[in-house]
Amino acid sequence: MTARFFVVREDILPEAIIKTIQVKEILKSGKAHTINEAVEQVGLSRSAFYKYKDGVYALAEMAREQIITIAMDLEHRSGILSSVLSIIATHGGNLLTMNQSIPLQGYANVVLSIDVSGLSKDIEPFVQLLKGQVGVRHAAVIGQG
């Protein structure tokens, strides 16, 4: 079944949906550190939050989400992948998925899907930064959406 999306005015949404979005905004802003704290602030049950959290997004949040997939060849040495992941985190990227092959001839192929909506720099300079890391033989964006 293909997911369908709708744009709905806030004033006709059920209260639980609106409060779920409020909880997500509170957590993102740091005004609460746990889901329990955030749901208490808005008067929503935890079960209602968990029921709706993965299907409800503010329109602005959906517009900002951007995912890229990068394929990389990394030297099979301790710390190479760790340094790549550290760069992603340091520059505001959020790792979503990672697939790594078994190293052959001293290199492993790694495919990373990264949410770059919070990236502190443009995608191209970010990829160039990854390419320039010690132990990275190749890095290329193979998907973007």
Side-chain angles (χ1 to χ4, degrees):
M1 181 170 151
T2 303
R4 294 172 50 192
F5 296 88
F6 302 91
V7 176
V8 181
R9 246 185 19 248
E10 180 178 14
D11 63 328
I12 65 170
L13 287 172
E15 185 179 12
I17 300 290
I18 294 167
K19 288 185 176 186
T20 298
I21 292 170
Q22 291 171 343
V23 168
K24 292 172 78 171
E25 289 170 349
I26 288 169
L27 290 168
K28 189 172 185 171
S29 72
K31 293 178 183 173
H33 299 292
T34 67
I35 291 170
N36 210 33
E37 289 175 12
V39 295
E40 283 181 14
Q41 285 182 28
V42 301
L44 180 70
S45 70
R46 284 174 22 123
S47 63
F49 174 74
Y50 283 110
K51 179 178 180 179
Y52 297 120
K53 74 175 182 70
D54 293 327
V56 175
Y57 303 94
L59 186 58
E61 185 180 344
M62 290 294 289
R64 282 192 312 265
E65 187 172 292
Q66 188 177 5
I67 298 170
I68 63 171
T69 302
I70 299 177
M72 307 176 82
D73 290 328
L74 305 180
E75 287 181 25
H76 180 57
R77 281 191 298 126
S78 180
I80 302 295
L81 179 57
S82 179
S83 69
V84 167
L85 297 177
S86 177
I87 289 167
I88 293 168
T90 299
H91 290 282
N94 183 24
L95 182 67
L96 301 172
T97 65
M98 177 176 73
N99 294 300
Q100 180 177 353
S101 68
I102 294 173
L104 297 172
Q105 299 176 345
Y107 288 91
N109 180 261
V110 178
V111 178
L112 307 172
S113 293
I114 305 165
D115 177 352
V116 293
S117 58
L119 214 58
S120 62
K121 52 175 59 199
D122 289 334
I123 292 171
E124 190 55 39
F126 174 70
V127 173
Q128 291 301 320
L129 179 65
L130 293 173
K131 284 181 180 180
Q133 292 305 299
V134 173
V136 176
R137 181 172 76 172
H138 172 76
V141 175
I142 59 171
Q144 192 167 352

